[in-house]
Structures are given as structure tokens and as C-alpha cells.
């Protein structure tokens, strides 16, 4: 029996993955910000006689302290984790700052994934074939990163924030793999999916999001390549997969020097935030 942690596991791709692995007889911990959705997830698990293996953890992963709390809770209750699937993100048409003083997209889409990967690593390393699957969109869009303005205080745009978040996750994977862990790291994008595109949209973006959802593939199809990566992690420390296509890591999106720069900035951001 595998033990799998899924962020954003109460809707969309995360929920479909959670249900699939519960039905297979595995243990699944989902993390989400909505208690009502969490309760619905647990009721559905009970109805399918999977309740004993389903766990919901209520958390706002855009908050640093919430990530640390979840990490402590999981590692206290579970000695071994087989997979961590990072799905949680939330589009913001307007710039939003968390109570920690960090731009919301940067906090949820990047910083939380950094913290969870590092904090849950000891439990992952005890598994026979551990893997982190980061659903982000490797190698997509502009390669530019606003190094002096990661929170996009100047000229914020929701799409720019989302694309930059993808670039930061590419570099997160590079740095993780360079540490020499047993845990494999996979940056993965399953393609457009006919499921929820969570966010707070302005009118124009809401129309585009609806069109994207309508034209996407069924969620049942989208989770197949993700499940394959969980079941049989790649042998390489880092992989980048766009739909069914492996991407070359010999690309500016995966530059080790940029990954080291981002890690240093991340620690500076955490230190500065925690001091206050």
C-alpha cells in the first residue's frame, strides 16, 4: 500500500488522483483550503468503503506557518511517504498579498512547493521508489524571471505571475535534484483539462478560463500520465514531461546557476518574513 500526499486534492486533477489511488487500496492525504470540499471528499471515500485510508488536512498553503504545520502533522502521523503530488495553485487577476506580506501566486504556487518538498523529504526517502510530481508546466512561455521583483510589485499581470511561477518551479526541480536525493523529481504538465481552473478572474480572463476548460481533455485522461509517474518513477533525478513528451533539460529553463540564485533568494525571503 502506497501513502500519497496531494495538495489541491479536493478538486480537479488532484481529486481524481486521490479517488483513483483510494480505489486501488492506497492511503491518500489531501490538503485543501475548503473544509466543505474536504468533508465531501471524506464522505465520498466512506461511500466507496475507502474512509479508513482517506485523510483531509485543512490548510491555507499560501501561509508559511500553515505549510510548517502540515509538514509536522504528516510526519508525525506517517513514517513513510511514497509520493507527493503538488497541484495547488490559484489564479489572481489582481495582485493579492498574503498575511505574510508575499504575493499570493509566489506564496502558493512556488514557496509552498519548496517548503513541502523539503519538509516531507525525510519521510519520502524511506520509501522504496519515492517521487515528487510537480504539476506546473515545465519549459512553457517566457524564460524571463523578475529577479529583483519576484512578487511583481511593478506591473503585475495574472498570466505573467502564473508563467513566472512555472519557471520558478522548473528551477526548484533542478535544485532538488542536485542535492542527490533518492526521491525522483518530476515536473509535469498533463495538458489542458476539462476541470476547474481555480481563480479570482476579471471578466476577460473568466471568459478565457471557461473556453480553456471547455476545450480541455477529460480529467480521467489527464491523470493517466501522472499516475504512471507515481507507479514507476523515472530513473533520472529530474525529469520534465509536457503531456506525453519528455523535455530536454539542456535548456535555459533548467539552468543550474539560476536554480542556485533562486534558492538563495528563497532563503532570504523566508528569513526576512519569519523575522517579522
Amino acid at each position: 500500500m502506497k501513502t500519497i500526499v496531494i495538495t489541491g486534492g479536493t478538486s480537479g486533477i488532484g481529486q481524481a488522483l486521490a479517488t483513483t489511488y483510494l480505489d486501488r487500496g492506497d492511503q491518500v492525504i489531501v490538503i485543501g483550503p475548503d473544509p466543505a470540499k474536504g468533508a465531501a471528499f471524506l464522505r465520498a471515500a466512506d461511500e466507496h468503503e475507502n474512509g479508513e485510508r482517506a485523510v483531509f488536512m485543512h490548510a491555507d498553503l499560501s501561509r508559511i506557518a500553515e505549510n510548517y504545520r502540515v509538514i509536522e502533522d504528516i510526519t508525525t502521523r506517517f513514517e513513510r511517504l511514497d509520493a507527493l503530488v503538488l497541484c495547488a495553485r490559484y489564479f489572481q487577476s489582481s495582485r493579492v498579498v498574503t498575511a505574510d506580506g508575499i504575493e499570493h501566486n509566489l506564496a502558493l504556487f512556488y514557496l509552498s512547493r519548496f517548503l513541502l518538498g523539503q519538509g516531507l523529504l525525510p519521510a519520502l526517502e524511506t520509501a522504496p521508489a519515492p517521487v515528487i510530481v510537480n504539476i506546473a508546466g515545465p519549459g512553457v512561455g517566457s524564460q524571463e524571471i523578475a529577479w529583483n521583483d519576484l512578487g511583481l510589485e511593478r506591473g503585475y499581470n495574472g498570466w505573467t505571475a502564473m508563467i513566472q511561477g512555472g519557471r520558478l518551479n522548473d528551477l526548484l526541480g533542478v535544485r532538488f535534484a542536485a542535492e542527490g536525493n533518492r526521491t525522483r523529481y518530476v515536473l509535469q504538465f498533463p495538458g489542458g483539462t476539462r476541470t476547474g481552473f481555480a481563480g479570482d478572474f476579471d471578466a476577460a480572463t473568466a471568459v478565457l478560463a471557461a473556453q480553456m476548460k471547455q476545450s480541455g481533455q477529460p480529467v480521467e485522461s489527464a491523470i493517466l500520465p501522472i499516475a504512471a509517474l507515481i507507479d514507476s518513477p523515472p530513473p533520472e533525478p529530474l525529469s520534465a514531461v509536457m503531456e506525453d513528451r519528455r523535455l530536454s533539460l539542456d535548456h535555459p529553463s533548467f539552468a543550474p546557476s539560476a536554480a542556485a540564485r533562486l534558492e538563495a533568494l528563497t532563503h532570504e525571503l523566508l528569513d526576512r518574513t519569519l523575522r517579522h
Side-chain angles (χ1 to χ4, degrees):
M1 180 176 72
K2 292 182 181 291
T3 300
I4 301 170
V5 176
I6 304 175
T7 69
T10 58
S11 63
I13 288 173
Q15 182 182 29
L17 275 173
T19 300
T20 295
Y21 279 94
L22 285 173
D23 288 343
R24 290 186 186 184
D26 294 312
Q27 186 167 239
V28 180
I29 305 112
V30 303
I31 306 170
D34 188 336
K37 289 184 177 180
F41 164 75
L42 295 176
R43 283 196 303 271
D46 283 334
E47 291 169 2
H48 289 83
E49 300 183 351
N50 295 327
E52 292 185 356
R53 291 177 284 101
V55 177
F56 170 69
M57 293 187 177
H58 174 228
D60 175 1
L61 294 178
S62 71
R63 298 296 312 278
I64 292 173
E66 288 283 87
N67 284 274
Y68 286 133
R69 177 180 64 80
V70 164
I71 290 166
E72 182 176 6
D73 194 1
I74 292 173
T75 53
T76 298
R77 296 171 62 180
F78 305 96
E79 293 184 0
R80 189 194 87 186
L81 300 176
D82 294 274
L84 169 63
V85 184
L86 300 165
C87 294
R89 66 178 180 178
Y90 192 85
F91 188 96
Q92 299 278 7
S93 286
S94 299
R95 189 174 187 273
V96 174
V97 177
T98 69
D100 294 320
I102 302 171
E103 188 270 317
H104 187 273
N105 190 76
L106 177 64
L108 179 62
F109 192 16
Y110 167 69
L111 190 57
S112 171
R113 299 186 185 208
F114 171 88
L115 292 170
L116 292 173
Q118 292 296 320
L120 297 178
L121 180 60
L124 285 160
E125 290 285 279
T126 66
V131 63
I132 296 176
V133 183
N134 186 334
I135 309 299
V140 174
S142 171
Q143 307 307 312
E144 294 183 6
I145 293 174
W147 289 108
N148 297 318
D149 185 21
L150 289 180
L152 301 177
E153 291 185 51
R154 298 178 292 277
Y156 177 88
N157 174 276
W159 293 111
T160 300
M162 191 65 69
I163 292 170
Q164 176 167 281
R167 296 291 66 70
L168 300 182
N169 278 288
D170 288 346
L171 298 177
L172 172 58
V174 171
R175 200 59 183 168
F176 184 96
E179 295 172 356
N181 305 306
R182 289 182 57 252
T183 302
R184 309 292 85 172
Y185 204 102
V186 185
L187 299 157
Q188 203 270 358
F189 179 65
T193 305
R194 201 176 305 145
T195 184
F197 181 18
D200 185 4
F201 307 112
D202 58 28
T205 306
V207 171
L208 181 56
Q211 292 172 344
M212 292 168 62
K213 179 178 178 180
Q214 186 176 19
S215 63
Q217 65 185 315
V219 69
E220 294 80 10
S221 300
I223 67 170
L224 293 177
I226 304 171
L229 293 166
I230 296 171
D231 296 341
S232 298
E236 300 86 1
L238 175 65
S239 303
V241 184
M242 175 62 67
E243 299 180 1
D244 295 325
R245 179 171 58 91
R246 287 290 190 96
L247 302 181
S248 170
L249 300 180
D250 185 16
H251 187 278
S253 290
F254 311 105
S257 59
R261 181 179 185 182
L262 176 61
E263 183 178 45
L265 288 175
T266 302
H267 285 296
E268 289 177 13
L269 174 62
L270 285 169
D271 290 344
R272 185 169 63 249
T273 303
L274 293 174
R275 282 200 304 270
H276 293 85

